[in-house]
Amino acid sequence: LSYSLAQSNERSVLVVESKDLVLQLWQSRLGQALFSEEDLFSKERFDNFINNASTVDEIKFAMKVLVWIHTNWQTESILDLNLSFFGGQFRSYIVGGKQEILDSQLLICSYSDLVKVSNSNNLSNRNGVVMSLAGLEKYFSSGNSRKASWNMALYLLRSVYNPESGFGREDLKAEITDAMAATDLFFGLMYLMLHRHFPSKRYVKIEDIIEDGYLFKKLQNMTHSYAHKLSKVVEKTELPALQNLISEVSNSLIAEQGIIKWIEVSEYNTTFKNQPLELASETEKYLSVFSSVTFIERFSSQEWLEYLSERLGVTLEIKQASEFVPLPCEVKLLSQTSTQDWIVNMLDRANLPAIVLFEDPRAVKKYYDGVYSLLSEYSSVLAQGYSGGPNKLFRNFAIKDNSVLLITGEMLIKQSRNIMVKTCLIESLPEYDYYHPYNSAVIEHSQKDSTSLVLTLRQGRFFQVLNSLASDKLESVAISYKPNDEQLVQRLHTLY
C-alpha cells in the first residue's frame, strides 16, 4: 500500500496506528515520516544537556545519545533510540526539535501525531489514507490520552528538576520538591478514600462520587488544593504537559455532557480518566484537513463496519467487490479442554515463534508457572508480568526465532503493534468488559440490542487481534472456545 501511494500522481498521507510502524515504513524508504515535537531530536537541547551533565547517569546517557547520533540511519526522531533499559528519565531534555515542511509524495504518521500536527501545512491538499477504521475509533475513544495519573505527575515534575540526581532547573528545587511531596500525598489520599468508600470497585464513576455529598466535597477541596500547588511550578516553567495535567485534575470531578469520567483506583497509580462518548466531531476535526479520505480495513464484518461508521459519524462506500478477506493461514476451532495439554502440543520447535493469548493475567501466571520448565528446554519464554513492561517484552520477543510470548489478548489490543509470529494460540476468545464505565456507557448510548452489540464488539476485538498478527509469516491460528462462545464462533465460522 505504501509503495502504491508513493508511486501515485496524487500526494497522500498514510495514517497508521503506531509510531513504530511509521518508523519502519520510513526506514524502508516508502515515504517521509511526520512526527510531533515530543519525538523530534533537538541538537540544541542535547548540547545544553551535555554542557550541564555532571552525574555518572547523565554522562552515560550523553554517551549513549552520541553513539546513536554517529551510528544510526537517522537522527531526526528519537523513536529508535532505545530508552527501555536506561535513560528514559532524561528523554525530555533532548526532544522538541522542529520539522520542516515536507515535499515527499507520501507522508506517513500515526493517529496520535495526526492529532498534534493536524494544523500543519504538511497535510493540506493531500489525500488521507487511514489504516484501520477500528484503530481510529479506538484512538478517538481514548480521549487522545486525556488523563492524569500519579506516575505521570511525578514524571513531569522530574523532567523539570530531578531531586535524586540534581539535574534540571536547580533554581526550582524547592518548588519541585514540594510539588512531588504534594503529588504523593494527593494521590495516596485519593486512593485511600475511594478504596474505603468503594472497596470492591476498581473503577469509580464520577456520578457515584457526586451522589455522596460529603465525599464529593472532601475530594473537590483536595483537587483544588493540589492544582494550586502545581500551578506554582507552571508559572515558572514552559511545560504545556504539566498545565494539561492541572486542567485534567481540576476538572476531574465536574460532570460534562457527552464525556464519561471515572477514576481507576490503584495503590500504585491512581488515574483520572475521561473519554468522549460522541466521536463524530473528532473525526470531522482531524480528517477534514484532507481533500479526501479512504479507510483501509483488513479484517471485518458487516456488523462491525456498521458499528464503526456509526461511532465515527462517517458514511462508508465499500469499493472492493469482496468485502471480507479470508485468513491467510490454517484456522482450528477447539472446544475448550485441558489448557496446558493442547497448547503444549502445538508449541513444538517447528511452530515458533508463537504467541499465546489468555483471558486475564491470572491465566497467564497459572500457565507460565505450570509449563515454564518444559517450554524453556527448546524456546525462549516471555510472559506478561514476568519479563518486564510491554516495550521490553515485545522487543525481546522479536530478537529470537524460537520465542514464545504469553500475554492477554487485552495487552495485545492495547499495544497496537504488528507482531511477527508463525503460530497464534487463543486460549480464550476476547471478552468485552461491559462493567467498565466507558464500555457500559457506549452500550447504553447505542440504539442496538445490547446482546447483539456485545457480540459485535467481541467480534471486533478478535479482528483487532488478527490485525496485530497477520503477516506472511503467520501459518496457523488455533482458537479454544467455551460453551457460551457458540454464537461468536458461529459468526467467525460464517466469515472464515
Side-chain angles (χ1 to χ4, degrees), residues 207-380:
E207 290 80 3
D208 293 338
I209 295 174
I210 294 175
E211 286 181 6
D212 188 325
Y214 172 77
L215 176 64
F216 173 70
K217 193 67 177 177
K218 291 279 288 184
L219 298 185
Q220 190 178 48
N221 290 338
M222 284 169 53
T223 56
H224 290 165
S225 175
Y226 176 58
H228 177 69
K229 290 179 180 177
L230 284 188
S231 64
K232 293 180 180 179
V233 176
V234 173
E235 290 171 2
K236 300 180 180 181
T237 62
E238 296 180 4
L239 198 61
L242 192 56
Q243 180 61 64
N244 292 339
L245 185 136
I246 292 174
S247 177
E248 292 300 328
V249 170
S250 300
N251 298 324
S252 60
L253 298 178
I254 301 174
E256 295 181 57
Q257 185 70 26
I259 302 294
I260 309 304
K261 296 185 177 185
W262 72 96
I263 302 175
E264 287 191 7
V265 184
S266 168
E267 61 182 305
Y268 302 108
N269 191 29
T270 291
T271 304
F272 296 91
K273 288 197 171 184
N274 69 87
Q275 298 178 200
L277 189 57
E278 296 282 357
L279 304 182
S281 60
E282 297 285 296
T283 307
E284 173 67 21
K285 180 179 179 180
Y286 296 115
L287 298 187
S288 61
V289 65
F290 299 122
S291 55
S292 69
V293 178
T294 301
F295 296 102
I296 307 294
E297 200 66 68
R298 288 195 291 183
F299 302 104
S300 198
S301 67
Q302 192 64 41
E303 301 93 341
W304 183 231
L305 286 177
E306 287 176 359
Y307 167 79
L308 294 173
S309 62
E310 178 185 310
R311 287 280 288 148
L312 291 169
V314 297
T315 301
L316 298 179
E317 179 185 350
I318 305 297
K319 294 289 184 70
Q320 192 174 347
S322 176
E323 297 175 24
F324 311 119
V325 182
L327 285 171
C329 62
E330 177 188 20
V331 181
K332 296 180 180 178
L333 287 171
L334 311 170
S335 296
Q336 197 160 72
T337 54
S338 171
T339 301
Q340 292 190 10
D341 290 344
W342 80 268
I343 293 178
V344 168
N345 290 340
M346 297 191 71
L347 287 180
D348 58 41
R349 291 176 178 82
N351 293 333
L352 304 183
I355 187 170
V356 187
L357 303 178
F358 294 87
E359 182 175 0
D360 54 44
R362 288 175 298 179
V364 174
K365 183 180 187 305
K366 181 179 179 182
Y367 184 74
Y368 179 85
D369 291 342
V371 302
Y372 173 79
S373 58
L374 177 62
L375 289 179
S376 61
E377 291 179 3
Y378 59 89
S379 66
S380 174

Side-chain angles (χ1 to χ4, degrees), residues 17 45 125 143 193 317 381 394 434:
E17 287 192 70
R45 298 198 69 193
N125 300 317
M193 294 183 71
E317 179 185 350
V381 185
F394 287 107
Y434 39 80

